[in-house]
Amino acid sequence: MYWQLFASFWKIGTFTIGGGYVMIPLMEKEVVERRKWLSQEEFLDQLALSQAMPGVFAVNMATAIGYRQGGWFGIVCAVAGNILMPIALILLLAIFFRHFRDNVIVERIFMGLRPAVVALIAAPVFNMAKRAQVSWRNVWIPVGSALLIWLLGVSPIWVILAAAAGGLLYGFLKGRKEGSR
Amino acid sequence: MILLELFWTFLKIGIFTFGGGYAMIALIQNELVVKREWLTTQEFTDILAVSQMTPGPVGINTATYAGYTAVMNQGGPAWEAIFGSLIASFAVILLPVLLMIVVFNYLSHHRDNPAIEAMFRVMRLAVVGLIAAAALVLLNGASFGTFGLNTQFVVSCLLFATVFYFSYRHKTNPILLIVASGVMGLIVYSL
């Protein structure tokens, strides 16, 4: 079973390019359909929890499923399986590019890549805004956060902490107001 | 001691990353490029490009690559850099994994609490701003070339606009867009 955990998450980590969310379909196929570790519903619950928690989404999923199936050692197997190949590959590439970074061809390729990467980060902002239910009443929160980090160099850590504290307080006060009615 | 600093830095990055790999970009940028100056903006953008093109979680890939490059830039030996990359990846998942276990055991029934719910809602809003900030910080000469009517700047703007359009409107596969941009760069700048 530990071996199955390792093997399944090895496959999920190794054969998906583009980050955690791309892994969801393959993860579902492995975990729900093939191994039957979770039901469809449990899988969605786990997904929501892993998204809400801090950290790397795919690793959170591996942790939750590994823990359910095999306790602490299950976590080690699932997480190690998930990240082993990516780490090895990235290290090889990092060493490779370190050697060839002054190469003209590599530099030209990266001159094309850089603006593309910026666009790839900018584009999902608008889709995420929709999903986070940004409206005219709360748009100051994302805009303010962005300006604080971008122009004033405030650490995102403080922004996240302030948002968490503000949200807790807001929810608490609102809950009390509704309770007293 | 750079390895210890790497561990501490990525420990912080891990626990404050809410909302996936893209949110982590803003944190890594702030810690490694702005505060500690372990990486240049250009190196950071290159790392992001490579991390998105290779298999695995983007957060792990970025941590591994950034850890390696940070030690190398400090003049450390290769073995230390490899060790640094492993430490960065381990540190970035350590606290979230422990937290997941705690939540799994004790807290899952508190999720419907209105205060907790509001907390996550406001944090999701802030994360949108975090990612926007990551993109804004990268809108600079390191990624686009010197501002003005020169080949690199014009080509960069066109590439930016095209990739943005396809990613936003058509949800085109990012790997395809990155590969196409790299090929375009190679062709245009070789002319």
Side-chain angles (χ1 to χ4, degrees):
Chain A
M1 196 263 301
Y2 290 121
W3 171 246
Q4 286 185 353
L5 273 172
F6 182 85
S8 276
F9 277 96
W10 185 86
K11 206 196 281 179
I12 294 163
T14 308
F15 294 106
T16 44
I17 300 179
Y21 295 100
V22 186
M23 294 182 182
I24 295 174
L26 182 61
M27 212 181 267
E28 191 177 350
K29 214 174 131 213
E30 275 294 312
V31 170
V32 179
E33 283 171 35
R34 180 145 170 260
R35 308 278 194 198
K36 298 198 168 49
W37 284 328
L38 303 177
S39 70
Q40 180 75 37
E41 225 164 73
E42 287 169 321
F43 182 77
L44 288 179
D45 274 354
Q46 226 46 265
L47 210 70
L49 183 69
S50 299
Q51 277 175 309
M53 286 293 120
V56 179
F57 166 72
V59 173
N60 287 352
M61 280 300 277
T63 304
I65 294 162
Y67 190 64
R68 268 180 75 111
Q69 299 304 317
W72 287 85
F73 193 60
I75 296 178
V76 174
C77 292
V79 172
N82 196 25
I83 65 177
L84 223 53
M85 267 308 261
I87 288 183
L89 252 173
I90 271 283
L91 255 177
L92 280 177
L93 278 172
I95 295 167
F96 173 83
F97 280 121
R98 189 103 199 147
H99 276 283
F100 290 94
R101 64 175 168 173
D102 297 324
N103 178 294
V104 198
I105 293 182
V106 171
E107 180 51 26
R108 281 176 187 155
I109 292 174
F110 273 102
M111 274 163 79
L113 288 183
R114 283 173 202 136
V117 169
V118 184
L120 283 176
I121 299 171
V125 170
F126 298 93
N127 288 322
M128 283 192 72
K130 256 179 260 164
R131 249 181 294 141
Q133 296 170 335
V134 172
S135 66
W136 286 115
R137 273 183 56 206
N138 62 25
V139 73
W140 62 273
I141 299 175
V143 171
S145 311
L147 292 179
L148 280 175
I149 298 168
W150 178 42
L151 293 179
L152 299 179
V154 173
S155 167
I157 292 176
W158 295 115
V159 173
I160 286 288
L161 279 176
L168 264 180
L169 192 70
Y170 173 78
F172 179 71
L173 292 177
K174 208 175 140 195
R176 257 218 331 215
K177 213 164 95 190
E178 271 161 22
S180 65
R181 235 180 260 153
Chain B
M1 178 67 180
I2 179 129
L3 292 181
L4 217 64
E5 278 182 76
L6 261 181
F7 182 78
W8 171 240
T9 307
F10 275 94
L11 211 60
K12 275 197 291 187
I13 291 170
I15 198 70
F16 286 107
T17 294
F18 285 87
Y22 280 104
M24 192 181 281
I25 291 173
L27 281 151
I28 296 185
Q29 190 179 49
N30 189 268
E31 287 287 332
L32 272 71
V33 183
V34 179
K35 260 165 64 184
R36 299 188 185 256
E37 296 178 359
W38 282 340
L39 305 172
T40 66
T41 308
Q42 212 162 56
E43 278 173 326
F44 183 69
T45 321
D46 296 352
I47 289 174
L48 292 182
V50 176
S51 302
Q52 293 193 38
M53 278 188 298
T54 48
V58 173
I60 295 286
N61 294 349
T62 316
T64 307
Y65 201 150
Y68 176 84
T69 312
V71 178
M72 285 304 264
N73 284 354
Q74 297 287 297
W79 66 266
E80 198 185 16
I82 292 174
F83 202 54
S85 73
L86 298 180
I87 285 184
S89 312
F90 176 70
V92 96
I93 61 174
L94 183 62
L95 292 179
V97 164
L98 294 178
L99 192 70
M100 276 295 286
I101 298 168
V102 174
V103 168
F104 202 89
N105 282 332
Y106 307 105
L107 291 173
S108 31
H109 49 277
H110 283 302
R111 227 193 314 159
D112 297 329
N113 181 307
I116 303 277
E117 226 173 85
M119 180 182 87
F120 280 122
R121 217 170 45 236
V122 176
M123 273 167 50
R124 272 199 295 275
L125 288 168
V127 165
V128 174
L130 237 69
I131 298 170
L136 287 169
V137 173
L138 291 175
L139 280 177
N140 60 17
S143 325
F144 285 75
T146 332
F147 181 82
L149 263 181
N150 54 65
T151 322
Q152 196 196 347
F153 189 74
V154 173
V155 170
S156 295
C157 286
L158 286 175
L159 276 173
F160 176 87
T162 315
V163 171
F164 187 92
Y165 174 78
F166 278 102
S167 177
Y168 180 62
R169 262 293 138 82
H170 300 290
K171 303 235 164 31
T172 310
N173 188 332
I175 302 147
L176 186 73
L177 291 171
I178 291 183
V179 171
S181 310
V183 172
M184 279 302 288
L186 184 60
I187 294 171
V188 172
Y189 296 120
S190 300
L191 289 177

